[in-house]
């Protein structure tokens, strides 16, 4: 039975993947509808790229480490049918960059291929490699793709493993097995952590492997002629796919859906979201742990299934093994569902929010003591004397207090228990992670806010996440760049912010339901959403603050008043200015019950307009349209003309139409 095969026509422009032209390309998304990607002239910036960012990888040494963590190059595609730049067709040589491996042995340069953009990999897998194949057809489709673009011989590569790197020459390619037939290059170049890999040992090892090596373990040696560009890129696509996309259990899953849409695209997007710091760090750790657990369960399941297939007797041991197999299978299915939740972009956000909002408090220390944490990158004698005088030894009769020193604020927050104090000395601190404050602590800066700056790295994590009963933050400047979450979220408890500066990027401060927020003498600016977002059932007190240069100043949400009280807000002497939208916005849609009451009231008013008559000849009462609309909306009374005393039943229909029109206008006004 014939399989569906994509028609591979690997264009020359796709080889280098680096022409900086305008690109328009339609692809099929998760929902099956075409989506249009458009990249304008210019350069795209992204984070560093390495295969170990997606799944736990073995430790790498030398050149592999540096290549996998190098910053992402800025590259664009060119349309296949584009002919705007005719000079490139006559230009010879490679457009790929080279990389010099580090180490004692002088290896030749290799192609720099691990820095491809998301779209470059997306297009290659969807249009040229996998197409609409099933999971069981992936290897065959990949083999046919390699037959089209891979040079069968004549190129050299570095065979890289966890233990050694050695230079080899490719003499043939087994496309079906995704392996290359190799021999040792002359001269013999090898670098290893141990000294036992001599020339004879390496020849013996290759003989055991029948001189056949997996393509994903080969890194193509650089050649500036351009002949091996497509070979280097094809090997990179195969290596990346089997290291970051393919799962060992994929082939056994149901095949009625497109494998690319179900698995490749969400995993590829997750990989690049992780590289660009758009996923919370805790969620990344959970994903890798789930992946490792699922691999381990699947391995045990395969071993158990293999032992059952070799056992022919209907013994008690076999029955026990079958029960264990069912348990492993159920456990593996649960783990796979959790992995899919994180791989889905929308569910990933909800999952990450729920995880961050359930931070557990540590409580009081076992010994009952409270600790003062001092944060300073460098501690000078003058600063230490000032701290002792102003903060640490204010009262001579006070009992002894334990002091712990930290070089960054995040480690100090993580070391806190109930009642601790964190004093941040002047300096500029870069943090990567979330300030998850679940206990009642004090975080204060020693000096002016402009002198104590805490800047956030990473886009996926919330900057400050508060769930403690009574948290106080003072005299600190928080800076956020290109973030996904807001700069401060209060889930529950009370948080006091005094004399602080918040330089936001997305939403500024979010006060969730049942939380309390007190903000005094602070400055908040730069939010692309609302500066302060207040949810129903919360309490917010704002005094002597500046909120400016945001999309909206304060956004008050009151759409859950069936279950929660309206937010309690007190605002005194605040200056809200230079925002794109309104200074204060109240979101309060009309509840369905209110609509019903309005309709009943309007129906009773409509009935009052009906005048019974016994005349056979129908006479139309002339009523001013504007007055009728105003009457139905309850703004003024309707006065009928005294010289007309008869009205027909047809007037009721006219009145109903006018009532519907006026009700719609009234609802639009309420929404505004």
């Amino acid at each position: 039975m014939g399989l569906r095969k994509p028609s591979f026509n690997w264009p020359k422009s796709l080889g280098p993947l680096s022409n900086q032209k305008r690109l328009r390309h339609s692809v099929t998304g998760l929902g099956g509808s075409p989506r249009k990607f458009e990249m304008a002239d210019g350069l795209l910036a992204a984070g560093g790229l390495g295969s170990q960012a997606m799944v736990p990888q073995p430790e790498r040494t030398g050149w592999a480490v540096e290549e996998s963590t190098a910053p992402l190059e800025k590259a664009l595609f060119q349309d296949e049918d584009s002919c705007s730049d005719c000079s490139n067709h006559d230009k010879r040589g490679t457009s790929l960059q080279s990389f010099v491996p580090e180490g004692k042995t002088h290896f030749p340069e290799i192609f720099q291929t691990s820095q491809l953009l998301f779209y470059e990999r997306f297009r290659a897998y969807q249009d040229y490699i996998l197409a609409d194949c099933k999971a069981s057809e992936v290897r065959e489709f990949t083999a046919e793709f390699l037959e089209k673009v891979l040079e069968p011989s004549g190129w050299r590569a570095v065979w890289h493993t966890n233990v050694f790197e050695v230079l080899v020459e490719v003499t043939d390619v087994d496309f079906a097995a995704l392996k290359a037939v190799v021999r040792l290059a002359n001269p013999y170049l090898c670098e290893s952590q141990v000294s036992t890999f001599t020339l004879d040992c390496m020849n013996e090892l290759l003989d055991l492997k029948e001189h056949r090596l997996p393509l994903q373990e080969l890194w193509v040696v650089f050649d500036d002629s351009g002949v091996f560009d497509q070979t280097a890129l094809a090997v990179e696509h195969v290596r990346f796919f089997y290291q970051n996309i393919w799962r060992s259990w994929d082939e056994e899953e149901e095949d009625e859906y497109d494998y690319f849409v179900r698995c490749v695209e969400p995993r590829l997007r997750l990989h690049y979201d992780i590289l660009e710091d758009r996923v919370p760090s805790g969620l990344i750790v959970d994903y890798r742990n789930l992946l490792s657990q699922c691999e381990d369960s699947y391995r045990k399941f395969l071993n158990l299934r293999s032992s059952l297939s070799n056992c022919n007797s209907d013994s008690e041991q076999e029955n026990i093994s079958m029960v264990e197999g069912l348990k492993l299978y159920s456990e593996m299915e649960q783990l796979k569902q959790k992995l899919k939740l994180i791989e889905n972009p929308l569910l990933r956000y909800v999952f990450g929010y729920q995880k961050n909002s359930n931070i557990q408090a540590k409580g009081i220390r076992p010994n009952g003591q409270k600790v003062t944490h001092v944060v300073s990158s460098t501690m000078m004698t003058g600063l230490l004397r000032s701290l002792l005088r102003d903060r640490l030894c204010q009262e001579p009769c006070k009992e002894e207090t334990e002091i712990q020193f930290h070089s960054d604020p995040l480690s100090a927050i993580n070391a806190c228990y109930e009642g601790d104090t964190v004093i941040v000395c002047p300096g500029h601190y870069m943090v990567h992670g979330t300030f998850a404050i679940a206990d009642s602590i004090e975080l204060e800066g020693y000096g002016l806010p402009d002198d104590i700056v805490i800047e956030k790295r990473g886009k996926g994590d919330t900057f400050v996440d508060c769930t403690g009963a009574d948290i106080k933050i003072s005299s600190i400047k928080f800076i956020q760049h290109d973030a996904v979450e807001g700069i401060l979220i209060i889930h529950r408890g009370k948080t006091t912010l005094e004399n602080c500066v918040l330089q936001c990027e997305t939403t500024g401060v979010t006060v969730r339901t049942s939380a309390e927020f007190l903000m005094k003498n602070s400055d908040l600016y730069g939010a692309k959403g609302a500066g302060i977002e207040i949810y129903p059932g919360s309490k917010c007190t704002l005094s002597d603050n500046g909120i400016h240069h945001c999309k909206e100043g304060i956004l008050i949400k009151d759409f859950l008043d069936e279950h929660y009280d309206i937010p309690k807000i007190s605002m005194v002497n605040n200056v809200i200015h230079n925002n794109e939208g309104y200074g204060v916005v109240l979101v309060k849609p009309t509840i369905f019950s209110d609509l019903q009451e309005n309709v009943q009231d309007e129906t009773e008013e409509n009935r009052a307009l009906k005048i019974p008559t016994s005349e056979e000849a129908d006479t139309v009462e002339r009523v001013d349209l504007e007055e009728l609309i105003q009457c139905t909306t309850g703004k003024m009374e309707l006065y009928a003309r005294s010289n007309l005393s008869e009205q027909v039943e047809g007037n009721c229909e006219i009145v109903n139409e006018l009532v519907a029109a006026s009700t719609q206008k009234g609802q639009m006004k309420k929404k505004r």
Side-chain angles (χ1 to χ4, degrees):
M1 183 176 178
L3 296 174
R4 302 178 310 282
K5 303 287 185 178
S7 178
F8 293 122
N9 184 16
W10 189 261
K12 292 296 182 181
S13 61
L14 189 58
L17 303 179
S18 61
N19 295 319
Q20 298 175 11
K21 295 294 179 183
R22 192 175 188 85
L23 169 67
R24 292 183 180 89
H25 183 62
S26 295
V27 297
T28 302
L30 286 171
S33 58
R35 288 179 295 166
K36 191 170 185 180
F37 287 76
E38 181 173 326
M39 299 181 184
D41 291 332
L43 300 177
L44 294 179
L49 176 60
S51 59
Q52 72 274 20
M54 191 71 166
V55 296
Q57 295 292 333
E59 184 179 357
R60 298 185 175 186
T61 57
W63 55 273
V65 173
E66 182 162 340
E67 181 172 3
S68 63
T69 57
L72 193 76
E73 288 295 328
K74 304 171 182 179
L76 295 177
F77 275 97
Q78 181 182 7
D79 269 330
E80 298 176 26
D81 55 352
S82 175
C83 56
S84 59
D85 191 359
C86 300
S87 61
N88 285 340
H89 295 288
D90 300 330
K91 185 178 179 180
R92 294 183 178 181
T94 179
S95 297
L96 295 178
Q97 296 182 356
S98 63
F99 177 79
V100 180
E102 292 185 354
K104 299 178 182 178
T105 306
H106 298 289
F107 282 101
E109 296 180 353
I110 62 173
F111 281 103
Q112 181 81 293
T113 57
S114 63
Q115 297 178 344
L116 301 180
L117 299 174
F118 162 80
Y119 185 76
E120 295 170 336
R121 297 192 192 274
F122 184 97
R123 184 183 183 188
Y125 291 132
Q126 188 192 50
D127 294 352
Y128 299 99
I129 303 177
L130 301 178
D132 62 342
C133 73
K134 300 178 180 179
S136 57
E137 301 170 344
V138 167
R139 181 173 287 271
E140 186 168 352
F141 272 56
T142 305
E144 184 171 347
F145 159 75
L146 293 176
E147 289 180 10
K148 301 290 184 181
V149 301
L150 202 66
E151 293 291 337
S153 62
W155 48 281
R156 298 189 302 166
V158 176
W159 178 24
H160 173 70
T161 66
N162 298 329
V163 183
F164 60 83
E165 295 91 33
V166 62
L167 185 65
V168 297
E169 293 180 0
V170 177
T171 59
D172 195 8
V173 177
D174 184 353
F175 296 102
L178 305 182
K179 291 184 177 182
V181 181
V182 302
R183 65 186 178 194
L184 292 178
N186 189 16
Y188 172 71
L189 294 177
C190 179
E191 183 172 347
S192 173
Q193 300 175 359
V194 294
S195 59
T196 57
F197 287 98
T198 61
L199 178 59
D200 295 335
C201 293
M202 194 59 66
N203 280 321
E204 184 178 353
L205 179 60
L206 286 176
D207 290 338
L208 291 174
K209 291 181 173 289
E210 298 179 349
H211 290 260
R212 294 153 59 89
L213 304 177
L215 287 173
Q216 55 261 37
E217 295 182 4
L218 299 180
W219 301 77
V220 182
V221 171
F222 181 76
D223 187 290
D224 58 1
S225 66
V227 175
F228 300 114
D229 283 14
Q230 295 178 13
T231 297
L233 287 169
V235 172
E236 169 61 28
H237 286 311
V238 173
R239 174 170 45 248
F240 181 88
F241 175 79
Y242 281 101
Q243 286 182 346
N244 302 291
I245 306 298
W246 178 256
R247 306 287 183 256
S248 55
W249 56 82
D250 283 350
E251 197 167 357
E252 296 190 6
E253 292 203 349
E254 298 177 354
D255 278 348
E256 65 265 22
Y257 299 112
D258 184 5
Y259 176 71
F260 178 86
V261 173
R262 284 190 302 112
C263 301
V264 178
E265 182 177 3
R267 292 171 186 172
L268 184 62
R269 290 187 182 278
L270 175 61
H271 178 85
Y272 276 88
D273 284 345
I274 290 175
L275 293 181
E276 297 169 3
D277 291 326
R278 296 190 179 277
V279 182
S281 55
L283 202 58
I284 297 174
V285 174
D286 288 348
Y287 183 76
R288 291 174 177 169
N289 291 336
L290 289 171
L291 201 58
S292 177
Q293 293 174 22
C294 198
E295 290 280 359
D296 186 53
S297 297
Y298 183 67
R299 193 179 305 110
K300 293 178 181 178
F301 177 76
L302 289 181
N303 295 335
L304 189 60
R305 187 173 64 179
S306 177
S307 64
L308 285 174
S309 62
N310 296 330
C311 181
N312 297 324
S313 61
D314 188 11
S315 61
E316 182 180 356
Q317 182 64 32
E318 182 181 1
N319 295 332
I320 295 175
S321 299
M322 291 182 65
V323 174
E324 292 178 357
L326 290 174
K327 290 181 179 179
L328 282 174
Y329 181 80
S330 177
E331 177 185 350
M332 190 172 61
E333 288 299 317
Q334 292 178 1
L335 292 172
K336 287 194 290 186
Q337 290 301 321
K338 292 181 180 179
L339 289 173
K340 290 178 181 179
L341 285 177
I342 302 178
E343 290 168 356
N344 185 293
L346 296 178
L347 298 178
R348 180 195 319 156
Y349 179 82
V350 176
F351 188 75
Y353 165 72
Q354 291 177 348
K355 178 178 178 59
N356 292 334
S357 62
N358 293 327
I359 303 170
Q360 298 297 324
K362 295 180 182 178
I364 303 176
R365 270 188 179 78
N367 57 10
Q369 292 185 353
K370 297 180 180 179
V371 176
T372 299
H373 304 266
V374 178
V375 180
S376 179
S377 54
T378 57
M379 180 60 68
M380 307 300 291
T381 56
L383 177 61
L384 183 58
R385 283 196 297 266
S386 300
L387 275 174
L388 291 172
R389 181 183 67 249
D390 299 335
R391 290 289 188 274
L392 304 178
C393 298
Q394 292 179 325
E395 300 178 8
C397 300
K398 192 176 181 180
E399 60 181 9
E400 292 291 331
T401 302
E402 180 181 349
I403 301 175
Q404 296 182 8
F405 291 90
H406 305 266
S407 59
D408 66 285
L410 187 57
S411 64
I413 293 293
N414 293 335
C416 281
Y417 283 78
E418 184 79 13
D420 284 3
T421 301
V422 179
I423 301 175
V424 185
C425 297
H428 195 117
Y429 304 92
M430 306 293 293
V431 296
H432 195 296
T434 301
F435 281 17
I437 307 177
D439 294 280
S440 299
I441 66 170
E442 293 187 16
L443 175 63
E444 59 176 301
Y446 180 58
L448 299 176
D450 289 336
D451 297 330
I452 302 108
V453 179
I454 302 178
E455 187 171 349
K456 177 75 165 58
R457 288 180 179 175
K459 309 171 186 177
D461 292 312
T462 307
F463 200 162
V464 183
D465 199 288
C466 298
T467 58
D470 189 8
I471 300 171
K472 297 180 181 179
I473 304 174
S474 61
S475 302
I476 295 177
K477 181 177 182 179
F478 297 94
I479 300 179
Q480 184 186 46
H481 296 291
D482 195 18
V484 177
E485 295 285 352
I487 196 168
L488 172 61
I489 297 181
I490 301 105
H491 293 279
R492 53 184 177 270
K494 179 182 178 181
T495 298
T496 302
L497 195 71
E498 185 174 1
N499 195 30
C500 290
V501 178
L502 304 179
Q503 181 178 321
C504 310
E505 183 70 20
T506 54
T507 301
V509 179
T510 302
V511 186
R512 294 284 182 180
T513 301
S514 303
E516 183 178 354
F517 179 55
L518 175 62
M519 182 175 174
K520 299 187 297 183
N521 300 316
S522 298
D523 193 32
L524 188 154
Y525 60 91
K528 293 180 181 177
I532 301 178
E533 193 172 280
I534 305 172
Y535 277 71
S538 61
K539 184 178 180 181
C540 188
T541 303
L542 307 176
S543 176
D544 301 296
N545 302 294
I547 303 172
H548 55 94
H549 294 91
C550 303
K551 185 176 181 180
E552 294 167 338
I554 300 173
L555 180 63
I556 304 170
K557 295 185 176 182
D558 185 20
F559 50 80
L560 298 175
D561 48 356
E562 288 186 352
H563 305 284
Y564 296 96
D565 296 331
I566 61 174
K568 297 180 180 179
I569 304 171
S570 174
M571 295 187 291
V572 181
N573 294 332
N574 298 286
V575 181
I576 306 173
H577 63 96
N578 290 96
N579 297 294
E580 293 183 20
Y582 293 100
V584 180
V585 179
L586 174 63
V587 181
K588 185 178 175 61
T590 304
I591 307 301
F592 181 72
S593 59
D594 297 337
L595 287 174
Q596 287 183 327
E597 294 175 0
N598 293 337
V599 171
Q600 292 176 358
D601 295 341
E602 291 164 357
T603 303
E604 293 176 358
E605 293 175 359
N606 296 343
R607 291 174 180 171
L609 296 174
K610 297 181 181 179
I611 303 176
T613 179
S614 59
E615 298 290 336
E616 293 182 358
D618 296 339
T619 305
V620 179
E621 178 187 9
R622 296 180 181 179
V623 182
D624 185 37
L625 177 63
E626 185 65 24
E627 291 179 348
L628 180 60
I629 295 177
Q630 292 174 352
C631 172
T632 56
T633 55
K635 293 183 179 179
M636 62 179 300
E637 296 181 354
L638 173 65
Y639 296 94
R641 300 184 182 276
S642 59
N643 58 346
L644 295 176
S645 61
E646 297 178 354
Q647 183 175 358
V648 296
E649 294 181 359
N651 280 357
C652 182
E653 297 180 1
I654 298 175
V655 171
N656 288 338
E657 292 293 334
L658 295 175
V659 168
S662 65
T663 302
Q664 184 178 3
K665 289 183 179 180
Q667 297 304 325
M668 292 178 63
K669 291 180 180 179
K670 288 183 179 181
K671 289 182 179 180
R672 294 194 187 101

